[in-house]
Amino acid sequence: MSNKKKIDSPRGIRNNNPLNIRVGNDWQGERKPNTDGAFEQFTTMQYGYRAAFKLLKAYIERHHCRTIRFIINRWAPPKENNTNAYLKRVVEISGLNPDAVIAFWHKQTMIDLVYAMTIVENGVAVEKSVIAAGYDLAKGVEGE
């Protein structure tokens, strides 16, 4: 990617943080020093997706956000976002039912969800193979 293209890319893409995770945790693959200040930066896109999947796994398993509607409501809360518009766009892109119960271990559903969230967050898509690589890094890993 050329420097000009990288500069013109959305913040989440430039940071290898496609779901725009805010700073606050120590992550595997985190870029140091962080030059953004507000959002995490990762050394690769796969590590950015790994962090996103780890958070989503916690949402589903620890916080009982077991539908896309509940996940999006927590990820993009109404006090900061137009949550209904975010959810509507994710459902349109993914084709997933917003009220169906989902499990973290259903890889394709999680990839489809995160693919759609990436587009909502950045306005651009990322190859699903990159998202899948992030899922594989996160799968079965406890803690950080």
Side-chain angles (χ1 to χ4, degrees), residues 35-80:
T35 58
D36 185 294
F39 292 94
E40 295 286 356
Q41 294 179 312
F42 295 95
T43 56
T44 68
M45 192 67 74
Q46 290 86 346
Y47 278 119
Y49 279 120
R50 177 189 179 276
F53 280 119
K54 286 183 65 61
L55 286 173
L56 290 170
K57 182 179 183 201
Y59 282 18
I60 294 167
E61 295 179 359
R62 272 190 245 143
H63 302 290
H64 309 288
C65 296
R66 297 206 170 115
T67 67
I68 293 171
R69 184 178 310 277
F70 282 117
I71 289 169
I72 298 302
N73 195 59
R74 185 175 177 106
W75 193 274
K79 67 182 181 202
E80 300 174 10

Side-chain angles (χ1 to χ4, degrees), residues 2 5 13 19-20 24 38 45 49 52 57 71 73 76-78 80 90 98 100-102 105 108 132 139 141 144:
S2 72
K5 187 172 182 183
I13 302 302
L19 295 193
N20 292 311
M45 192 67 74
Y49 279 120
K57 182 179 183 201
I71 289 169
N73 195 59
E80 300 174 10
V90 164
V101 175
I102 62 171
W105 301 109
Q108 192 58 56
K139 186 175 63 174
V141 178
E144 217 18 65

